[in-house]
Amino acid sequence: MTTPTPGRGTADREYAARALDSLSNGITIVDDAGTAVVANEAWRTFVDATGIDPAVTRTAATYLRTLRRGDASLDDIADPTTPLDLTLTLPYQESDDARSHRLHISPFVYDGEAFASLSVAEDARAKLPTTPLKTGAIDAAPVGITISDYTRPDNPLIYANAAFERITGYDVLETLGRNCRFLQCEATEEAAVQRFRDAMAANESTTVELRNERADGEEFWNAVTIAPLRDERGVVTNWVGFQQDVTARKRAEEALSTERDQYELLNQIIRHDIRNDMAVIRGWGEELRGNLDADQRETLSRVMNAAVHTQELTEEVRDLTAILGSEDPALEPIDLGDVLTREIDQVRSTFEYQADSLVVDGPVDLPDECLVSATPLLSSVFTNLLDNAVLHSDGGAVRIDVSVVADAETCTVRIADNGPGIPDSQKRAVFDHGEQGERSSGTGLGLYLVDELVTQFGGRVWVEDNDPRGTIVCVELQRVR
C-alpha cells in the first residue's frame, strides 16, 4: 500500500490504510497518468479475480484528463458541490463470461494535484442483468452504440461498444467521460449538428448523416441516430446513439448524381437539336406530299417514318433518364381513359401523312373513372406501343385496336395490330435491353422502357398472338378505387 503523496506522517498513512482495508468495496486512487497510488485489500482481490486493473485505471485517468481539458479547474474539482462523479457499468474485459462491474469514479484534489478514487460495489460482481444500458447484444452489435449520461454536465459518454471503436478508431476508454462532439471536424456542417441540438431540446429521436473524423484524421460519413432513454418517472436521463459508416454509399451517391447530371445534359442537347431538325423535316415533308406521284409518296413515307422514329428516340432518352433518376417513384392515381384518348389522337396526328392506310380504334367500353396507379410517364408506355405498331408493320394498311378489360383490382390494356407478329421464342426477350424484333431496325430501347415503367407501376406487360395475324401487347396496371 502506498500513500497519495509524500509529506504526510506515518500515522496518517497507517490510519488511511486501515480505514480503506476495513471497507468491503474495492477502492483505489489513481493520478492523471493512470498510476494507482493506493489500493485496499478488496480492490486487490477484485483485480486478482478479473485482471481488469489496467482498463479501469485508464478509464479514470482519461476522465481526469478530460476534465482538465474542459472547463473544470482544480478549484472546480476540489469543490464538493460540483457534480463531477461518474458511475459506469462496464464488462469484465479480461473475462469470458457476461459479468460486469459498476465503477464509481470520484475526482478530487490533494496537495494541488488531481486524483480520482475508484470504487467497485460488491453486488456488481454478479451476473450482468439485462438492462437498457447493457446487454450482450449491444456489445456484439455491428453498428456503433454509445450511451451518454444526460444528468451530468455536457452529457458525457458512459458506454461505447466495440463497433464504435472500429468505426471511429478511438479506444473505447478514451471516449468515456467526453461529449461525442469530439468526432466533429471542419467538414461537419453546422446544420447537421443543429438538428441534434433541436432533437435533444425536444427529447425526440432523430437521424442525421454528417461528416466526422476518425482518430487518425480521416474524414468519413457517419449516419447517427440518437434516441432518449427515460427513467421510471419519464425523465430523460440518458441518450443512446447509433453510428454507421456510410462513406461508401455517400460516395456512390455522389458519383451517381454526377452521372445523372451528365445524362440530363446529354438529354437536353439531343432533345433540343434532334427534335428541332426532325420537326423541320416533317414540316417540309408534308409540303412536298401533294406534288408527288404514288411511287414518290411511298419514298416520302419512308423518310417521314425515319423522322418520326428519330423523334421518338429523343423521347425515349428523356424517359429513360427519368427512370434512372428515381428508383422509388411516387405513384398517383392516373385516369387511364384520358391517357389512352390523348395517345390515340397523337398517333393519328403523328402519322397523318399515311392517314389513308392507318386505322386506330380506341376503347369504347372503358369503365368510368378508370384510375390506375402510375406516374405521368404512363403516357410514354402507350406512345411507344402505338408508334411501334405503326413503324414495325410490314407494309399495306395498318390497323390498331385498343381495348380495356377491368376488374376490381386491375385494368388491362390490349393493343392489337395486324403486323408481322412476334415468334414465341422472342415474346419475352423483346422487352430486354437492346433486344429487337426480327424486322426491326430500332435500338430496342422502346419496349425495354415500357417494361421498366410498367414494373415501376407495380404492373406487368406481355405479348400474345393476334388472330388471324399480328401481335397483342397486354399492359396490366393496378386499379385505384
Side-chain angles (χ1 to χ4, degrees):
M1 173 104 38
T2 59
T3 56
T5 186
R8 293 291 180 179
T10 301
D12 288 343
R13 293 196 298 272
E14 291 179 355
Y15 178 80
R18 291 178 61 186
L20 289 177
D21 282 336
S22 68
L23 300 176
S24 60
N25 286 0
I27 295 176
T28 187
I29 297 174
V30 300
D31 59 21
D32 61 6
T35 302
V37 295
V38 69
N40 68 354
E41 184 62 32
W43 179 266
R44 289 193 293 273
T45 301
F46 168 71
V47 170
D48 290 342
T50 65
I52 202 169
D53 182 45
V56 295
T57 54
R58 283 201 308 272
T59 300
T62 299
Y63 184 48
L64 277 177
R65 291 195 296 271
T66 301
L67 291 177
R68 299 302 303 276
R69 283 198 303 267
D71 299 329
S73 64
L74 285 176
D75 291 339
D76 292 329
I77 296 175
D79 183 357
T81 64
T82 303
L84 297 177
D85 286 9
L86 185 65
T87 300
L88 307 175
T89 300
L90 298 175
Y92 280 157
Q93 296 189 17
E94 301 298 327
S95 174
D96 292 332
D97 59 27
R99 292 186 298 171
S100 70
H101 60 273
R102 184 171 296 277
L103 183 68
H104 184 78
I105 304 175
S106 180
F108 64 94
V109 174
Y110 185 84
D111 272 5
E113 294 184 44
F115 294 87
S117 66
L118 289 82
S119 63
V120 178
E122 286 286 338
D123 58 359
R125 302 180 195 180
K127 283 282 185 178
L128 177 65
T130 300
T131 69
L133 299 183
K134 184 69 181 69
T135 66
I138 291 179
D139 281 339
V143 298
I145 299 178
T146 58
I147 300 171
S148 64
D149 188 345
Y150 201 43
T151 66
R152 299 192 178 278
D154 206 28
N155 193 29
L157 295 181
I158 60 172
Y159 173 80
N161 70 347
F164 179 82
E165 181 175 300
R166 290 195 304 271
I167 292 170
T168 67
Y170 285 92
D171 185 278
V172 167
L173 297 179
E174 294 180 55
T175 69
L176 302 181
R178 304 172 66 181
N179 185 286
C180 211
R181 75 172 65 90
F182 68 83
L183 292 175
Q184 296 176 21
C185 59
E186 292 184 2
T188 304
E189 295 183 358
E190 177 60 27
V193 178
Q194 187 60 46
R195 287 178 60 187
F196 285 128
R197 297 194 190 107
D198 293 342
M200 297 184 76
N203 289 335
E204 296 177 346
S205 303
T206 190
T207 299
V208 179
E209 293 184 355
L210 71 168
R211 285 188 178 91
N212 278 165
E213 189 174 270
R214 306 187 207 275
D216 61 4
E218 178 190 10
E219 289 183 10
F220 72 103
W221 277 97
N222 197 2
V224 182
T225 298
I226 61 171
L229 298 177
R230 303 174 187 271
D231 63 14
E232 63 277 2
R233 298 169 299 167
V235 176
V236 176
T237 58
N238 303 87
W239 283 86
V240 59
F242 304 90
Q243 295 83 16
Q244 187 171 7
D245 185 350
V246 294
T247 306
R249 174 173 63 77
K250 295 293 285 188
R251 288 175 179 169
E253 288 175 355
E254 291 170 0
L256 184 57
S257 177
T258 300
E259 186 174 338
R260 285 174 178 163
D261 289 343
Q262 293 170 345
Y263 280 143
E264 182 58 31
L265 177 60
L266 178 61
N267 180 18
Q268 292 174 7
I269 293 172
I270 290 175
R271 294 186 65 215
H272 179 270
D273 294 344
I274 295 181
R275 281 177 61 85
N276 285 351
D277 288 347
M278 290 305 104
V280 171
I281 291 172
R282 291 181 60 192
W284 282 106
E286 291 293 345
E287 290 291 327
L288 289 173
R289 183 172 179 79
N291 301 319
L292 301 177
D293 59 29
D295 290 340
Q296 291 171 329
R297 282 197 297 271
E298 174 63 24
T299 301
L300 177 62
S301 292
R302 295 180 182 273
V303 173
M304 296 290 279
N305 282 353
V308 169
H309 185 248
T310 303
Q311 196 166 6
E312 183 185 58
L313 283 177
T314 67
E315 299 300 330
E316 289 173 356
V317 170
R318 178 203 66 184
D319 296 338
L320 188 58
T321 302
I323 290 177
L324 291 173
S326 176
E327 294 183 359
D328 188 18
L331 302 182
E332 58 185 275
I334 302 290
D335 191 315
L336 182 60
D338 286 349
V339 172
L340 290 176
T341 298
R342 286 197 309 269
E343 294 307 313
I344 289 172
D345 288 343
Q346 181 62 45
V347 75
R348 289 169 178 159
S349 173
T350 299
F351 297 97
E352 186 178 4
Y353 58 88
Q354 59 184 76
D356 54 348
S357 62
L358 173 63
V359 176
V360 183
D361 285 339
V364 294
D365 55 349
L366 190 67
D368 293 337
E369 294 187 355
C370 190
L371 302 179
V372 295
S373 180
T375 73
L377 284 177
L378 178 61
S379 60
S380 182
V381 170
F382 299 113
T383 295
N384 275 283
L385 295 179
L386 291 169
D387 286 357
N388 274 354
V390 179
L391 291 170
H392 299 157
S393 65
D394 53 356
V398 178
R399 181 176 183 84
I400 302 172
D401 293 295
V402 181
S403 61
V404 177
V405 178
D407 59 28
E409 302 295 331
T410 63
C411 288
T412 301
V413 180
R414 296 169 62 85
I415 300 176
D417 64 52
N418 62 342
I422 299 175
D424 290 344
S425 61
Q426 286 189 282
K427 280 185 170 59
R428 181 62 246 174
V430 293
F431 296 104
D432 295 339
H433 187 194
E435 287 294 326
Q436 305 166 229
E438 290 181 346
R439 297 176 178 86
S440 173
S441 59
T443 63
L445 276 179
L447 291 179
Y448 168 74
L449 181 63
V450 167
D451 189 44
E452 286 291 306
L453 286 171
V454 173
T455 300
Q456 282 195 350
F457 303 156
R460 62 192 185 100
V461 58
W462 68 94
V463 173
E464 297 176 356
D465 291 328
N466 198 8
D467 185 24
R469 75 188 301 266
T471 300
I472 303 175
V473 180
C474 304
V475 179
E476 182 184 84
L477 301 166
Q478 296 299 309
R479 193 170 184 182
V480 178
R481 287 290 189 178

